[in-house]
């Protein structure tokens, strides 16, 4: 990559700044002008309500961020880096276009059920290829892995007709409703949502995909993907863009030699924020791109590390509120950056590897972030730290600790803690946040845990048959009652009553559900390790 001006800042721990409310701005509604009663003979003058304008959070830096050494690389595009809109464009898209549905990663599109669900049935199965070629990191096969959430789109008629008339790769099964999923077989598959048959020819992307692909919410046909592992040192290893209008990879960027970390994977699912695409990498850089048809143009990037430490990679998907972005990294740093400038705002040390994505919920105009660590670097046993932080200051609101072990078998080690992204309850579970924790006590076991998101108190903790990396999803009945659907790493699918944790259903359906589901009405689509993508119905 070509870079222009380089700004290097080495932060000194001895410099102090206030942490209390330094970056919070109070938002006040613009008042409506008083209107005097009009004369009887005249029509009353209309009153125009002016919208509340959401302001940019300040370009500030808390004392906690001064532990970081960072570099902002400006690609000298001449384009302002200020985010031009705070609208969550994913909320208006006809489908699920990125991991967990939107910028705050808290909208995995709520499911709908009638009455109390009692079973999950399989509507269709789609088989992927299976890649048996060994790599330095093993054989990856097919199906989908972690986080592996599919894209669901219900194309407007005009765009569906455009594809039918001009796009390559379509099959006779193409319809408006389409599933797209990245696979460990090194392909991206396109599936008709209703029938489970291929809607387009699969596209070979060279290397296995573990993370969740992302569709541009402008529906310009850009599909963003990232590699999970390289097949060899001789092939490109990075991320790219597919132009669905041409049905081919139109941009591939390889290993970034300027990064402070050499690993070139991209498990993070990128998001569109204003006019830009934001994408973290496992090379320790956060990229800000200008979007183009079939491609991307680098605007700027951030690389960082804690002083006297090596750079950490980012596997989590960045969550965004206004111009602040939030993510966790391999060393347990939870970091907020100003997306206007790409500079750090605050840093919170959460003790251990944090791969599960941050989820944001807003209370009285203030963003609060939730996430938890794994139990990775602490030895054979330790703690998974689940925290709620003030998104403006990085201050801890509450912390919940879960004791975990590592599971070891046949020379392999499986870490404990949280790998999924939590589900924020609505309806009758409005005060709850729900997540599976891998405890490995006994070996390979896990729990589904519900906490009060205001106090951190554990409301219930129920055992799973196996540990789980898949993120929980919610289905609501006509009265707003929540039912939680959860998959685990031996292929079981569960239904729980959201308010109590009562198990309503459990059955082995797949091989290993590391992937997170996409939810549409009473259906969910999710891939399993092996070679199968499932559509299931919650009934």
């Amino acid at each position: 990559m070509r870079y222009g001006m380089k700004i290097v800042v080495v932060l000194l721990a001895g410099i102090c700044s206030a942490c209390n409310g330094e970056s919070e701005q109070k938002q006040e509604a613009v008042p409506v002008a008083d209107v005097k009663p009009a004369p009887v003979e005249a029509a009353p003058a209309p009153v125009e309500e002016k919208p509340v304008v959401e302001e940019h959070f300040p370009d500030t830096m808390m004392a906690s961020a001064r532990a970081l050494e960072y570099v902002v690389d400006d690609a000298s595009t001449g384009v302002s880096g200020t985010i031009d809109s705070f609208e969550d464009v994913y909320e208006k898209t006809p489908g699920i276009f990125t991991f967990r549905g939107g910028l705050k990663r808290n909208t995995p599109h709520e499911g709908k059920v009638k009455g109390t669900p009692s079973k999950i049935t399989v509507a269709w199965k789609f088989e992927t290829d299976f890649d048996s070629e060994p790599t330095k990191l093993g054989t990856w096969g097919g199906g989908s892995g972690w986080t592996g959430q599919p894209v669901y789109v219900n194309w407007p008629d005009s765009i569906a007709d455009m594809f039918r008339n001009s796009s390559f790769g379509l099959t006779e099964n193409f319809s408006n409703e389409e599933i797209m999923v990245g696979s460990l077989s090194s392909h991206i598959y396109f599936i008709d949502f209703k029938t489970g048959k291929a809607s387009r020819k699969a596209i070979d992307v060279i290397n296995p995909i573990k993370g969740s692909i992302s569709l541009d919410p402008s529906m310009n046909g850009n599909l963003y993907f990232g590699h999970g592992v390289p097949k060899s040192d001789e092939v490109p290893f990075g991320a790219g863009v597919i132009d669905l209008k041409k049905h081919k990879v139109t941009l591939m960027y390889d290993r970034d030699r300027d990064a402070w970390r050499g690993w070139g994977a991209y498990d993070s699912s990128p998001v569109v924020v204003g006019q830009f695409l934001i994408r973290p990498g496992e090379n320790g850089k956060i990229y800000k791109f200008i979007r183009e048809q079939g491609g991307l143009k680098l605007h700027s990037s951030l690389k960082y590390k804690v002083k006297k430490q090596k750079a950490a990679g980012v596997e989590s998907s960045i969550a965004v509120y206004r111009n602040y972005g939030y993510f966790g990294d391999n060393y347990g740093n939870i970091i907020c950056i100003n997306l206007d400038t790409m500079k750090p705002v605050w840093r919170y040390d959460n003790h251990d590897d944090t791969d599960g994505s941050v989820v944001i919920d807003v209370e009285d105009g203030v963003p609060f972030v939730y996430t938890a660590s794994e139990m990775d670097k602490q030895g054979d046993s330790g703690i998974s730290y689940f925290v709620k932080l003030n998104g403006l200051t990085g201050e801890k609101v509450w912390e919940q600790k879960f004791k975990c072990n590592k599971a070891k078998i046949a020379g392999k080690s499986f870490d404990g803690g949280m790998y999924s992204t939590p589900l924020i309850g609505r309806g009758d579970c409005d005060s709850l946040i729900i997540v599976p924790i891998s405890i490995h006590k006994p070996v390979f076991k896990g729990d589904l845990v519900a906490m009060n998101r205001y106090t951190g108190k554990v409301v219930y903790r129920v055992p799973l048959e196996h540990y789980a990396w898949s993120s929980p999803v919610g289905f609501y009945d006509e009265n707003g009652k929540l039912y939680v659907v959860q998959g685990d790493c031996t292929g079981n699918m569960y239904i729980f009553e959201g308010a109590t944790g009562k198990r309503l259903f459990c059955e082995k359906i797949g091989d290993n559900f590391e992937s997170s589901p996409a939810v549409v009405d009473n259906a969910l689509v999710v891939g399993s390790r092996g070679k199968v993508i499932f559509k299931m119905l919650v009934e």
Side-chain angles (χ1 to χ4, degrees):
M1 296 183 181
R2 181 177 62 85
Y3 300 101
M5 178 179 63
K6 181 174 290 186
I7 306 168
V8 182
V9 181
V10 179
L11 299 172
L12 303 177
I15 300 176
C16 297
S17 68
C19 288
N20 296 325
E22 184 175 7
S23 62
E24 179 179 348
Q25 289 187 344
K26 296 182 180 179
Q27 304 299 309
E28 297 182 355
V30 177
V32 178
D34 293 332
V35 181
K36 296 180 179 179
V40 174
E41 65 273 10
V47 178
E48 180 181 355
E49 292 195 14
K50 297 180 181 180
V52 175
V53 178
E54 291 187 323
E55 298 180 2
H56 288 247
F57 289 138
D59 186 19
T60 189
M61 182 177 292
M62 299 298 174
S64 59
R66 299 187 185 282
L68 299 176
E69 176 182 347
Y70 73 89
V71 175
V72 175
D73 287 314
D74 185 342
S76 300
T77 61
V79 176
S80 170
T82 301
I83 305 298
D84 66 5
S85 172
F86 296 143
E87 179 185 14
D88 189 340
V89 289
Y90 294 95
E91 293 181 353
K92 296 182 179 180
T93 56
I96 304 166
F97 284 27
T98 190
F99 182 66
R100 303 298 272 181
L103 294 180
K104 294 190 283 291
R105 307 294 183 181
N106 68 345
T107 51
H109 282 235
E110 297 165 349
K112 301 175 182 178
V113 291
K114 294 182 179 180
T116 302
S118 60
K119 62 180 179 179
I120 297 175
T121 59
V122 175
W124 51 250
K125 298 179 183 179
F126 178 91
E127 290 196 356
T128 70
D129 296 288
F130 189 91
D131 189 349
S132 58
E133 181 181 350
T135 72
K136 291 181 179 180
L137 296 172
T139 300
W140 292 90
S144 62
W146 181 92
T147 56
Q149 179 189 290
V151 162
Y152 163 77
V153 56
N154 189 349
W155 296 111
D157 289 340
S158 59
I159 297 180
D161 289 342
M162 179 272 294
F163 282 131
R164 291 187 182 99
N165 294 331
S166 62
S167 183
F168 302 94
L170 267 63
T171 74
E172 61 184 7
N173 302 307
F174 174 80
S175 71
N176 293 55
E177 289 188 274
E178 194 169 21
I179 292 291
M180 307 174 191
V181 60
S183 174
L184 296 168
S185 71
S186 305
H187 292 80
I188 292 177
Y189 295 94
F190 304 86
I191 309 168
D192 176 61
F193 175 72
K194 292 182 179 178
T195 66
K197 296 181 180 180
S199 56
R200 308 179 197 232
K201 296 177 182 178
I203 296 179
D204 187 342
V205 294
I206 304 175
N207 294 310
I209 294 175
K210 296 196 289 101
S212 300
I213 60 177
S214 183
L215 184 65
D216 196 292
S218 71
M219 291 188 285
N220 62 358
N222 281 7
L223 182 64
Y224 307 109
F225 68 91
H227 293 148
V229 292
K231 283 189 173 181
S232 73
D233 294 334
E234 285 71 46
V235 299
F237 179 44
V241 181
I242 289 171
D243 187 340
L244 294 177
K245 296 177 182 178
K246 299 180 179 179
H247 196 69
K248 67 178 183 179
V249 177
T250 48
L251 174 69
M252 177 75 75
Y253 42 98
D254 202 348
R255 299 165 178 85
D256 186 346
R257 306 300 180 186
D258 187 57
W260 284 341
R261 191 170 187 259
W263 186 241
Y266 289 84
D267 283 351
S268 180
S269 183
V271 285
V272 169
V273 185
Q275 70 275 42
F276 298 107
L277 182 86
I278 308 296
R279 164 159 245 162
E282 290 187 54
N283 58 11
K285 294 184 74 170
I286 315 298
Y287 297 91
K288 182 176 179 179
F289 290 106
I290 299 168
R291 296 141 59 215
E292 300 175 339
Q293 180 63 49
L296 297 167
K297 182 179 180 181
L298 183 67
H299 178 277
S300 52
S301 65
L302 164 72
K303 57 185 176 184
Y304 72 94
K305 60 182 178 179
V306 175
K307 291 190 301 179
K308 299 182 180 180
Q309 291 185 8
K310 294 181 180 179
V314 180
E315 296 183 52
S316 63
S317 295
I318 191 169
V320 176
Y321 184 65
R322 297 196 196 176
N323 55 306
Y324 279 7
Y326 307 89
F327 58 90
D329 68 26
N330 298 150
Y331 285 176
N333 300 297
I334 302 171
I335 293 176
C336 170
I337 65 173
N338 183 350
L339 297 176
D340 290 335
T341 63
M342 299 300 285
K343 295 179 181 179
V345 177
W346 55 256
R347 171 234 180 201
Y348 179 86
D349 182 359
N350 204 32
H351 310 289
D352 208 333
D353 190 355
T354 301
D355 291 334
S357 296
V358 166
V359 62
I360 300 173
D361 200 49
V362 180
E363 301 172 22
D364 298 325
V366 178
F368 290 89
V369 299
Y370 301 84
T371 193
S373 70
E374 297 161 20
M375 203 294 294
D376 177 8
K377 305 180 188 306
Q378 303 170 56
D380 292 338
S381 63
I383 301 293
S384 172
Y385 298 85
F386 194 106
V387 293
K388 176 182 181 178
L389 307 176
N390 185 309
L392 299 181
T393 66
E395 294 172 307
K396 181 172 66 179
V397 179
W398 55 255
E399 176 184 76
Q400 188 61 249
K401 300 178 181 179
F402 299 97
K403 294 181 179 180
C404 304
N405 291 338
K406 281 188 178 180
K408 296 183 179 181
I409 188 170
K412 293 185 178 181
S413 179
F414 299 84
D415 297 333
M418 191 193 82
Y419 282 83
S420 66
T421 296
L423 173 67
I424 292 180
R426 306 297 181 199
D428 70 329
C429 295
D430 185 63
S431 63
L432 299 185
I433 186 164
I434 303 168
V435 69
I437 302 289
S438 301
I439 57 171
H440 298 306
K441 295 191 297 184
V443 67
F444 296 134
K445 295 297 183 180
D447 290 343
L448 185 72
V449 181
M451 291 161 280
N452 184 301
R453 60 190 175 95
Y454 301 110
T455 67
K457 180 181 178 181
V458 173
V459 177
Y460 63 76
R461 182 171 177 170
V462 295
L464 302 172
E465 298 298 318
H466 208 77
Y467 70 92
W469 289 3
S470 178
S471 298
V473 290
F475 290 78
Y476 291 83
D477 70 12
E478 54 270 33
N479 297 314
K481 188 173 182 178
L482 170 64
Y483 299 93
V484 177
V485 172
Q486 177 70 56
D488 75 20
C489 287
T490 52
N492 294 308
M493 293 296 297
Y494 307 78
I495 304 175
F496 294 96
E497 191 174 66
T500 66
K502 180 182 178 182
R503 184 192 291 190
L504 304 177
F505 174 85
C506 176
E507 184 176 303
K508 182 174 173 59
I509 293 177
D511 290 329
N512 176 354
F513 291 116
E514 291 180 2
S515 299
S516 295
V519 172
V520 184
D521 294 327
N522 76 319
L524 63 90
V525 180
V526 64
S528 171
R529 292 291 291 261
K531 57 187 300 186
V532 181
I533 311 298
F534 294 86
K535 178 182 176 181
M536 306 178 198
L537 302 178
V538 179
E539 301 175 313

